[in-house]
């Protein structure tokens, strides 16, 4: 497998052989700044199974719609520039599938993409999170009272769900909830998705917590095999298998 390569705000990872498809990844919260490290195990497990990986490096802000637009634009530019001559177009329904993958806030940003999810073959949403700014940033409410201002994400949590229900057009979505995740809101998301006509979304529950997808294997890298937790790697292998199997089922 080739090493991670950075191009602007995107990190790229090529699989060992000819790619089976492309995964565009957006992480969540503070982990998103270094996806090649924070999500290394998950993304490398997918690359080992033939997926070309494009991962966005960003710092979350309050204007989620603007960040969703930026990510969508960057992915499109990188996708068009990275295609090899023998690769068929990476678009919905092609032999070279394009899967969008998000964790936590990253799910929301994919769901807010300006194309409404049309130009991909599906979304995998890990640990969807759609809390308010005050819930996500504990000291924000205190600052608001002190300086007499109120800040909220745009769109707000309720507006986000309404927008997904009315504007998101991708029928194929794999919503993954981890059993010990105390801040997961996948239940609300799957309800909104399945209420749409022609929806083919499914909910999958796996062992783990909110940070299960975020595993960089740094203890193993710096301290050796003895310091590693093999269960982490097994979790990532299981998740990569589930994503690969789902990607092959077309509605």
């Amino acid at each position: 497998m080739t090493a991670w390569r950075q191009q602007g705000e995107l990190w790229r990872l090529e699989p060992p052989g000819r790619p089976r498809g492309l995964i565009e990844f957006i992480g969540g919260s503070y982990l998103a700044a270094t996806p090649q490290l924070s999500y290394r195990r998950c993304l490398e497990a997918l690359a080992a199974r033939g997926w070309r990986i494009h991962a966005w490096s960003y710092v979350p802000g309050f204007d989620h719609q603007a960040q969703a637009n930026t990510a969508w634009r960057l992915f499109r530019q990188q996708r068009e520039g990275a295609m090899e001559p023998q690769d068929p177009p990476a678009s919905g329904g092609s032999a070279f599938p394009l899967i969008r993958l998000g964790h936590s806030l990253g799910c929301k940003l994919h769901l807010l993409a300006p194309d409404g999810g049309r130009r991909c073959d599906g979304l995998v949403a890990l640990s969807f999170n759609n809390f308010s700014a005050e819930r996500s940033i504990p000291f924000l409410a205190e600052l608001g009272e002190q300086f007499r201002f109120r800040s909220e994400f745009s769109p707000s949590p309720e507006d986000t769900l309404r927008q997904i229900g009315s504007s998101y057009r991708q029928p194929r979505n794999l919503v993954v909830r981890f059993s010990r995740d105390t801040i997961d809101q996948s239940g609300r998301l799957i309800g909104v998705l399945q209420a749409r006509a022609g929806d083919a979304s499914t909910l999958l529950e796996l062992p783990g917590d909110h940070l299960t997808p975020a595993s960089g294997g740094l203890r193993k890298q710096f301290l050796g095999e003895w310091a590693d937790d093999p269960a982490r790697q097994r979790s990532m292998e299981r998740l990569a298998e589930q994503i690969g199997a789902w990607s092959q089922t077309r509605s």
Side-chain angles (χ1 to χ4, degrees):
M1 189 184 302
T2 57
W4 284 96
R5 294 183 179 179
Q6 186 176 16
Q7 288 198 325
E9 297 176 23
L10 293 183
W11 285 87
R12 293 177 52 187
L13 183 63
E14 291 292 318
R18 184 177 179 181
R20 65 184 285 186
L22 171 64
I23 286 179
E24 294 177 340
F25 175 75
I26 305 179
S29 187
Y30 59 90
L31 301 166
T34 55
Q36 81 286 4
L37 298 177
S38 302
Y39 296 94
R40 180 182 171 194
R41 284 195 210 254
C42 178
L43 298 179
E44 291 188 358
L46 288 163
R49 287 160 173 78
W51 292 96
R52 175 181 289 160
I53 307 294
H54 291 174
W56 184 35
S57 169
Y58 75 105
V59 176
F62 284 91
D63 193 338
H64 289 167
Q65 185 62 69
Q67 292 198 297
N69 296 347
T70 296
W72 179 81
R73 227 171 14 248
L74 287 170
F75 282 134
R76 183 183 62 180
Q77 293 167 357
Q78 185 68 211
R79 183 166 67 242
E80 293 171 352
M83 296 301 293
E84 302 294 339
Q86 70 273 19
D87 291 339
S91 60
S94 76
F96 191 85
L98 166 60
I99 301 298
R100 294 174 181 172
L101 173 63
H103 173 237
S104 194
L105 171 60
C107 306
K108 175 178 178 177
L109 299 186
H110 273 313
L111 288 159
L112 294 176
D115 69 349
R118 293 176 180 87
R119 293 191 57 79
C120 72
D121 290 279
L123 166 69
V124 179
L126 309 175
S127 302
F128 173 72
N129 183 284
N130 186 37
F131 283 125
S132 66
E134 291 184 357
R135 174 76 182 271
S136 301
I137 309 172
F139 59 83
L140 190 64
E142 182 179 337
L143 288 176
E145 291 178 3
Q146 182 176 352
F147 295 103
R148 297 183 179 179
F149 77 91
R150 177 177 176 84
S151 293
E152 181 54 277
F153 296 136
S154 177
S156 69
E158 291 304 318
D159 286 342
T160 296
L161 293 175
R162 279 193 288 269
Q163 185 170 328
I164 292 169
S166 63
S167 304
Y168 184 65
R169 294 290 181 257
Q170 174 56 245
R172 298 188 67 247
N173 303 278
L174 178 64
V175 180
V176 181
R177 175 170 59 199
F178 293 93
S179 58
R180 300 189 307 279
D181 189 343
T182 58
I183 59 173
D184 177 88
Q185 294 178 297
S186 295
R188 294 202 68 186
L189 174 60
I190 196 70
V192 170
L193 291 172
Q194 291 181 340
R196 303 173 306 155
D199 181 73
S201 301
T202 57
L203 178 65
L204 172 67
E205 182 165 313
L206 295 175
D209 55 32
H210 194 74
L211 294 179
T212 290
S215 175
L218 296 181
R219 290 171 62 88
K220 177 181 178 180
Q221 182 178 348
F222 291 111
L223 300 177
E225 294 280 352
W226 67 270
D228 193 30
D229 178 5
R232 286 276 187 177
Q233 187 62 42
R234 288 195 298 270
S235 295
M236 293 304 97
E237 298 293 338
R238 181 167 55 244
L239 179 58
E241 287 290 343
Q242 294 277 1
I243 292 173
W246 171 82
S247 73
Q248 295 175 349
T249 61
R250 302 294 182 96
S251 57

